[in-house]
Amino acid sequence: MAILKVDTITSADTPTVSITDGASISGVTTFSSDINIADKIVHTGDTNTAIRFPGADTITAETGGTERLRIASDGKMGLGSASPEDPLHIKSN
C-alpha cells in the first residue's frame, strides 16, 4: 500500500487531489468545500447499507440492500415507495 502524506497544498488555482483506487482516512476529517461522489456512501463493514444519489436531485437511503426512503427531485418523500405520489407517501403492506 502506498502512503501519501500532505501537510499543505497551496496554489493560485483550485488544488485537486485525485485517488482512483480507494483511500482509507482515519481520524477527524474536515472539508471546507463541496465533496463530489459518483453514486453512494457505503457504511464500512455493512456494505448493504448506503445513502445514494441515483439521479438528479434525488436522495435515497438503503438498509439490507433495499431502498427504504426516497426524497425525489420534486420534494416528495417516499417511505417504502420509489415513486412517491404525494408530499409524504408511505407504502405499507
Side-chain angles (χ1 to χ4, degrees):
M1 175 202 290
I3 296 175
L4 169 66
K5 181 179 179 190
V6 178
D7 291 320
T8 305
I9 299 174
T10 57
S11 173
D13 300 285
T14 303
T16 300
V17 176
S18 295
I19 302 170
T20 57
D21 291 328
S24 177
I25 301 171
S26 61
V28 175
T29 304
T30 303
F31 298 92
S32 61
S33 188
D34 296 344
I35 299 172
N36 296 310
I37 64 171
D39 177 52
K40 62 185 169 181
I41 300 169
V42 178
H43 184 267
T44 300
D46 187 13
T47 58
N48 62 359
T49 299
I51 299 171
R52 297 192 71 173
F53 306 92
D57 303 321
T58 301
I59 301 170
T60 66
E62 296 178 0
T63 61
T66 300
E67 181 179 310
R68 310 292 183 174
L69 169 71
R70 176 177 289 249
I71 302 174
S73 61
D74 59 4
K76 294 176 181 171
M77 185 168 65
L79 294 173
S81 172
S83 302
E85 298 172 6
D86 297 303
L88 176 58
H89 182 153
I90 300 173
K91 182 178 178 183
S92 176
N93 292 335

